[in-house]
């Protein structure tokens, strides 16, 4: 149950797909630059002030895009694939240290090197890929003047908000600033809403108490012991069906209060997962009160619980669900744990939550 009691959050691992080989090959095949990507023949000497300030300028602008932006090093402005010089290395830590003093706001940078052979040749060249993104909804600002030499105007001023417009990193105008802060407020409301949704899902799963445990440790031939052995029966808890309904209603009310800020697809995923867990728990309560303990895949009359299966299929691929549904034969009987099923269902919800946290949902 690794995902159950943790708070969803963002890490640099969430952005590794932005610098994957697949993402690189897609971008490097494009002829043209846009808001979200930029080609550079080289990053240059990262220890020089000029390179650091120019890189910080692009990073500031890319960070203020909803999905961040990416630099491809080793491709010229004319789209010639020249590759990196032998001495040039693309390193996440070095790049971050080179620019972080210029950026006011928490940001993420991830970088990678890739190799690619030109069509019709066997010579592979190295390229760099650097992705910048702000961690939170608020725009990032310039923390210092982007001063290269005293006899030249700085590329940006302390407090500036930079954005991308076409292939250029420029200072935001008043309309751009209003849009950025409006979007950040909307995003913050969504983040608070999805965190509340996740908390409610976690609390509903906690209501199940030891029901998961019993399915995890017992085979079907041992199910009667869940009723006859006091230590196991205690794991079923003492929650009544009425109290369970009241607790679930309370959680549903909390979700309804933030519903306007939750994307429709995520809300549907949450409803399917909550209904799946709720149906499992109510069935266990009824069986406990009736003095029986049966497979979670069955109705009280022993027939397959098809409504439960349908709820699971909204979140879990059929092949994966089939393996959980069938269980595993052992010397003692069929082992059919329910914990992996709920974990898989929650992963479906978490994928939607991560899209919202990443500004894509």
């Amino acid at each position: 149950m690794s995902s159950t009691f943790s708070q969803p959050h963002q890490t640099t691992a969430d952005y590794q797909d932005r610098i994957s080989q697949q993402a690189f090959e897609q971008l490097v095949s494009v002829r043209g630059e846009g808001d979200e990507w930029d080609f550079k023949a080289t990053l240059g000497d990262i220890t020089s002030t000029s390179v650091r300030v120019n890189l910080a300028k692009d990073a500031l602008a890319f960070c203020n895009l909803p999905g961040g932006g990416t630099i491809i090093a080793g491709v010229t402005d004319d789209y010639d694939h020249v590759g990196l010089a032998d001495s040039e290395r693309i390193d996440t830590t070095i790049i971050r240290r080179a620019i972080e003093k210029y950026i006011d706001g928490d940001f993420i940078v991830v970088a990678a090197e890739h190799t690619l052979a030109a069509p019709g040749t066997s010579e592979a060249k190295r390229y760099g890929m650097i992705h910048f993104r702000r961690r939170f909804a608020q725009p990032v600002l310039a923390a210092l003047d982007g001063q290269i030499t005293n006899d030249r105007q700085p590329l940006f001023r302390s407090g500036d908000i930079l954005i991308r417009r076409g292939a250029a990193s420029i200072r935001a105008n008043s309309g751009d600033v209003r849009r950025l802060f409006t979007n950040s407020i909307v995003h913050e409301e969504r983040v608070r809403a999805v965190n509340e949704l996740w908390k409610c899902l976690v609390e509903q799963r906690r209501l199940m108490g030891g029901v998961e445990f019993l399915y995890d440790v017992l085979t079907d031939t041992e199910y009667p012991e869940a009723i006859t052995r006091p230590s196991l029966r205690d794991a079923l808890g003492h929650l009544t069906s009425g109290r369970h309904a009241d607790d679930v209603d309370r959680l549903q009310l909390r979700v309804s209060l933030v519903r306007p800020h939750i994307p429709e697809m995520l809300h549907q995923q949450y409803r399917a997962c909550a209904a799946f867990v709720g149906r499992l728990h109510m069935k266990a309560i009824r069986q406990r009160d009736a003095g029986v303990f049966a497979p979670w895949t069955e109705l009280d009359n022993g027939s397959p619980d098809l409504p439960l299966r349908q709820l699971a299929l909204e979140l879990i691929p059929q092949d994966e669900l089939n393996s959980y549904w069938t269980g595993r034969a052992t010397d003692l009987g069929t082992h059919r744990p329910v914990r992996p099923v709920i974990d898989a269902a929650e992963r479906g919800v978490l994928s939607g939550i991560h899209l919202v946290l990443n500004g894509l949902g």
Side-chain angles (χ1 to χ4, degrees), residues 283-360:
K283 187 161 54 174
I285 291 173
R286 288 198 310 271
Q287 292 177 354
R288 178 203 65 197
D289 294 344
V292 296
F293 191 71
W296 59 267
T297 55
E298 296 180 3
L299 294 169
D300 297 345
N301 61 9
S303 60
D305 192 343
L306 297 182
L308 183 71
R309 180 180 174 85
Q310 189 58 45
L311 287 170
L313 284 173
E314 293 185 32
L315 294 161
I316 305 172
Q318 184 169 327
D319 290 346
E320 182 180 358
L321 179 60
N322 286 344
S323 66
Y324 299 140
W325 197 269
T326 304
R328 178 174 57 86
T330 71
D331 293 340
L332 296 177
T334 300
H335 184 227
R336 194 179 283 110
V338 75
R339 189 186 306 266
V341 189
I342 303 178
D343 285 347
E346 287 183 347
R347 282 195 297 272
V349 179
L350 275 174
S351 65
I353 288 176
H354 282 145
L355 285 177
V356 173
L357 294 181
N358 294 340
L360 302 174

Side-chain angles (χ1 to χ4, degrees), residues 18 21 23 55 57 62 99 161 257 296 318 337 353 355:
R18 302 303 182 94
Q21 180 73 26
L55 187 58
K57 179 182 177 182
F62 280 136
I99 64 174
I161 295 177
L257 294 176
W296 59 267
Q318 184 169 327
I353 288 176
L355 285 177

